[in-house]
Each structure stands twice: as structure tokens, then as C-alpha cells.
Amino acid sequence: MQSTKQYNVHRAAMHIVGVILLTGSFSAYSDLQPVLADIPTYSYSLWPYLPDLGNSFDPDTEPVELGVKFRSDVDGQVTAIRFYRSVPIDSGYKVNVWSATGELLGSGVAIEGQGPTPGWQTVIVYPPAAIKAGEIYTASYYASKGNYLVKDNFWTDVNVENGPLHILRQGVYSSDGIFLRPCAQVTDSNCERNGVFKYGLEGGFPTEGYLASNYWIDIVFKTQVPPPYFPYKGLIPGN
């Protein structure tokens, strides 16, 4: 009987605490809630627009992970990855966010049937991948049947800027991210390649490059840093 009485007292106390929290009477909770609600979030993508890219796909059918390197001027999170897919894949699609050293920061999987084929596919990254300002990251997707969209020699003399986001032109950069020169050759050890890939079952961190190829990958990036100081939008030709 004593244990039952103690349990009932404990349950009653927990009920009172629950009512306090739900009604907002607990000062720390009520003070915190408006602060969280009042912080605005701003959303950006790598591309200022998502074009309809048609049906020009590489006939390669080997499994491959394809990626694009990017950086941000502000801290934030990648909450989704978009890519232009060609064929339905019953096993679905996996996307990943990687650090410059190959650490997997976030991933997501989408089942088949969520969008038209060919067309843009959006896959949620959950939990979101944290992004730090000024660092280089790779957003990628795994194409288990190949047949990916590609445009060769895209990143040799162009980078893309949209809001705080930058897709890097392929080349040699200084330690603080300043473009110095184009890559001397494919095997240039100092070359920061873009348009990267990794062949093999289940894919993995893509680091190989071929002809500075664009695989048409995008992200959904969210930040609490407000605009409008971002000066550029669109394709920026190299000098």
C-alpha cells in the first residue's frame, strides 16, 4: 500500500509539472519559446534556377556516386539535395553531404515514384548537415544504374554564385579560398577539382574528376543570417 501511495503522489506531481509546462507558466520555458519562434530562417539553393535539362544522359550503366563542391559565406544547414535523374531506380536514391576530408555529415534516401522521370528529384537530408562558413563541402548522389546527366568542361572557366553559396570553378586556390590559376593538367596535385565521382557499389566519397564535368546537383541551404549583402547571382565567368 505504501508503494502505491508513493506512486500516486509521484504521478500527481508529474501531472502538475506537465500542466505548468503546457500552460507556459514555467518562466524559463515561456521565456525561451518566443525567442526560438522569432528567429527567421532564409533558404537558398546553389543554382538561381532549375532548368529543364531534357534527355541528354551518359549511357554509362556502372554504379557511381556523383558530386559537386561548394562553400558558403555563412553558417547554416543543408536540409535537402536535388539532382536531375534520368531513369527510375527501384531501390531509390541516396544523397550525401561530405566534408573536405571525406567525413559523412548527412545523408538521405528517397524511394522511387516521388517525381517524374526524367526530372529533378529532391531528397531530404535528415538530420540536416551543419555547414561552416568558408569551408569546402561536397553534395553528392548515388546512381546505382548510371545513366546520369553530364556536361563536360563546365567548371573550367565558370563558377556559380547564388546568395551566400558558391560552386567552385575547377582550379588552384590559396589557403583562404582565393582562385589563383586553372589546373595545369588533370594530375595537378594542387588542383581543386569539381564535378567529382566515385565508381563502385554503394558509391562513397567522390574525389575523382574528369573534364571538369557538371552533374547538375543542387542543395537546399538554410541559414539564420539575413540578406541582402550577397552581391552575386548566377553564372560568373572566370578571368
Side-chain angles (χ1 to χ4, degrees), residues 127 189 237:
S189 60

Side-chain angles (χ1 to χ4, degrees), residues 57 59 103 108 133 149 155 177 193 196 219 231:
F57 297 96
E103 179 185 359
L149 190 72
W155 301 118
R193 295 174 180 82
V196 287
I219 65 172

Side-chain angles (χ1 to χ4, degrees), residues 72-96:
S72 172
D73 294 331
V74 297
D75 291 352
Q77 295 179 324
V78 172
T79 61
I81 292 177
R82 301 185 182 111
F83 59 92
Y84 199 83
R85 64 186 188 144
S86 60
V87 296
I89 297 179
D90 295 338
S91 60
Y93 297 85
K94 183 177 181 181
V95 299
N96 296 304

Side-chain angles (χ1 to χ4, degrees), residues 19-189:
V19 171
I20 290 175
L21 290 177
L22 288 173
T23 57
S25 300
F26 188 51
S27 61
Y29 179 79
S30 60
D31 290 343
L32 177 63
Q33 198 172 30
V35 172
L36 293 177
D38 290 344
I39 298 177
T41 300
Y42 304 91
S43 183
Y44 298 91
S45 60
L46 292 175
W47 297 92
Y49 58 90
L50 293 180
D52 183 358
L53 300 172
N55 295 302
S56 299
F57 297 96
D58 193 298
D60 181 8
T61 58
E62 294 297 316
V64 61
E65 183 130 359
L66 306 161
V68 64
K69 293 181 181 179
F70 69 94
R71 64 177 175 84
S72 172
D73 294 331
V74 297
D75 291 352
Q77 295 179 324
V78 172
T79 61
I81 292 177
R82 301 185 182 111
F83 59 92
Y84 199 83
R85 64 186 188 144
S86 60
V87 296
I89 297 179
D90 295 338
S91 60
Y93 297 85
K94 183 177 181 181
V95 299
N96 296 304
V97 181
W98 311 86
S99 73
T101 58
E103 179 185 359
L104 183 60
L105 304 177
S107 60
V109 177
I111 61 174
E112 184 52 64
Q114 294 186 339
T117 306
W120 287 96
Q121 172 76 60
T122 299
V123 182
I124 301 299
V125 175
Y126 187 83
I131 300 299
K132 293 185 177 297
E135 297 188 9
I136 295 176
Y137 298 89
T138 299
S140 66
Y141 77 95
Y142 174 61
S144 62
K145 294 184 178 180
N147 284 283
Y148 49 85
L149 190 72
V150 59
K151 183 173 179 60
D152 293 338
N153 298 306
F154 191 94
W155 301 118
T156 54
D157 58 359
V158 168
N159 60 290
V160 174
E161 303 191 4
N162 189 32
L165 300 176
H166 311 266
I167 305 180
L168 302 181
R169 172 188 177 188
Q170 181 166 287
V172 178
Y173 288 79
S174 65
S175 58
D176 54 355
I178 304 300
F179 180 83
L180 299 177
R181 60 177 173 82
C183 300
Q185 54 187 0
V186 175
T187 57
D188 189 338
S189 60

Side-chain angles (χ1 to χ4, degrees), residues 213-226:
S213 299
N214 179 11
Y215 301 114
W216 298 101
I217 300 168
D218 194 17
I219 65 172
V220 177
F221 175 80
K222 295 185 182 297
T223 181
Q224 293 176 344
V225 179

